Amino acid sequence: MTLAGPPQDSPGLQAFTVLIARGVQPTVDGLSAEVRRAVLAELFRMGTQASENHSGHTPCPPYTLRLDVADCRMHVELDPMRTRLSLTGLTRPRPH
């Protein structure tokens, strides 16, 4: 097994764990492949950005973000102190 870490020239970077709440997983599983990819890509983009923004800074408390991605309303909790990003809610508008 090989373990990968941050590059040597980027000290202080931390990996963020991206979690999908158990109650949200069936909704994610029910998305079309294209929408699911967009939602997951946004989660990992946010985790990467959070890692860059919060590494080496003063700890801050968890906060919640609401955003729209691929016609989905996402509720994401970001916990910089635990280096964790969680998808806590996901809804899609009902077709007309």
Side-chain angles (χ1 to χ4, degrees):
M1 173 177 12
T2 303
L3 299 176
Q8 297 301 331
D9 61 346
S10 30
L13 283 181
Q14 296 179 6
F16 256 69
T17 301
V18 177
L19 302 171
I20 298 173
R22 195 173 303 214
V24 178
Q25 188 65 54
T27 304
V28 173
D29 292 343
L31 298 172
S32 69
E34 181 180 333
V35 172
R36 185 171 46 253
R37 271 193 300 275
V39 166
L40 295 176
E42 182 61 18
L43 288 173
F44 283 97
R45 185 198 66 77
M46 290 173 68
T48 300
Q49 184 178 16
S51 178
E52 292 169 358
N53 291 343
H54 294 289
S55 67
H57 291 93
T58 306
C60 71
Y63 56 95
T64 301
L65 303 167
R66 283 176 282 203
L67 58 148
D68 294 323
V69 174
D71 293 329
C72 294
R73 170 65 48 103
M74 296 172 54
H75 296 262
V76 177
E77 182 180 293
L78 184 61
D79 187 345
M81 293 173 61
R82 290 186 181 167
T83 63
R84 183 169 66 194
L85 182 138
S86 303
L87 178 63
T88 58
L90 181 67
T91 55
R92 294 200 68 181
R94 294 182 186 257
H96 299 290

